[in-house]
Amino acid sequence: MGKITFYELRNFQGKFYECISDNLDLQSHLNSCNSIHVENGLWMVYERPHYMGNQFFLKEGKYPDYHCWTGLCDSIKSCRLLSPSSSLLQEKVLDVYRLKVYEKDNCTGTMTEFMNDCTNVHDHFCYPICSCQVLGGLWLFYELPHYRGKQYLLKPGKYERFTDWGSVKCSVGSLKRVLKTV
């Protein structure tokens, strides 16, 4: 069971809306989102309706303004609960973490494998990541090292081009496993 509360103003003030499950469109409930309280669960929040636009991973905690979740603006328009009962985790994808990254499209060229978080991909893989194959677990790609910048959630499957995970450029600076625990 998860619970997340969105507030229109900073520091948990103003109009608010609580969610306990996925929501495709928060626009009818809030005009903006300047703070969030995650009471429990792991969540992905999105800048646009229908799980589109920039996405941000949130775990249990308080986020008093949008800079705390590395938000680029006060626009959160949809959310998805990542829990054992969610559609993303039905196949127990959190049991084994394994990821192969490639320097070229179509999972070709130089390859390296990750089974743990990596704070700076360039220390382990000297090429841009243009494609990948998630063999187990849910992973977050960050555009910049040290878990900063735009975020992308990847579930098991083959991503033959960086656009398949939603990026507009071949840029992965760090990567992290989405763990069961918060």
Side-chain angles (χ1 to χ4, degrees):
M1 182 70 132
K3 184 176 179 184
I4 187 170
T5 306
F6 302 95
Y7 296 86
E8 280 194 339
L9 303 176
R10 291 180 176 170
N11 297 313
F12 319 105
Q13 300 294 311
K15 187 176 175 184
F16 66 92
Y17 181 73
E18 294 178 348
C19 282
I20 57 170
S21 63
D22 297 358
N23 192 316
L24 282 168
D25 194 351
L26 296 167
Q27 291 182 108
S28 62
H29 305 289
L30 298 171
N31 294 321
S32 62
C33 180
N34 279 290
S35 55
I36 297 175
H37 179 202
V38 178
E39 287 190 40
N40 48 45
L42 304 174
W43 294 82
M44 287 302 293
V45 297
Y46 302 82
E47 283 187 327
R48 296 189 359 226
H50 302 278
Y51 317 125
M52 304 286 288
N54 289 323
Q55 52 188 302
F56 307 100
F57 174 72
L58 301 176
K59 59 184 183 178
E60 192 172 305
K62 293 184 176 186
Y63 303 85
D65 71 45
Y66 66 84
H67 295 103
C68 295
W69 63 80
T70 65
L72 306 173
C73 67
D74 65 355
S75 176
I76 297 296
K77 301 299 183 192
S78 56
C79 64
R80 178 175 278 162
L81 174 63
L82 305 177
S83 73
S85 63
S86 77
S87 59
L88 286 174
L89 305 182
Q90 288 296 323
E91 310 102 31
K92 296 185 178 181
V93 296
L94 294 181
D95 291 343
V96 176
Y97 294 90
R98 194 164 157 228
L99 167 72
K100 289 183 179 182
V101 299
Y102 301 86
E103 71 166 312
K104 296 181 180 176
D105 291 347
N106 301 314
C107 298
T108 60
T110 304
M111 182 274 297
T112 196
E113 188 170 325
F114 291 93
M115 295 178 77
N116 292 301
D117 300 350
C118 181
T119 187
N120 190 338
V121 169
H122 305 293
D123 289 346
H124 302 280
F125 192 65
C126 299
Y127 305 94
I129 296 175
C130 292
S131 60
C132 72
Q133 189 170 8
V134 178
L135 301 169
L138 289 178
W139 292 81
L140 281 173
F141 279 6
Y142 293 82
E143 187 177 40
L144 302 171
H146 307 287
Y147 314 119
R148 294 178 299 119
K150 291 183 180 178
Q151 304 171 21
Y152 307 95
L153 178 67
L154 286 81
K155 60 184 181 176
K158 197 172 194 177
Y159 298 83
E160 295 186 349
R161 189 162 161 70
F162 57 88
T163 55
D164 292 348
W165 64 75
S167 183
V168 294
K169 58 185 174 180
C170 233
S171 178
V172 178
S174 50
L175 50 93
K176 185 182 279 193
R177 299 163 295 154
V178 176
L179 301 172
K180 287 182 189 179
T181 57
V182 279

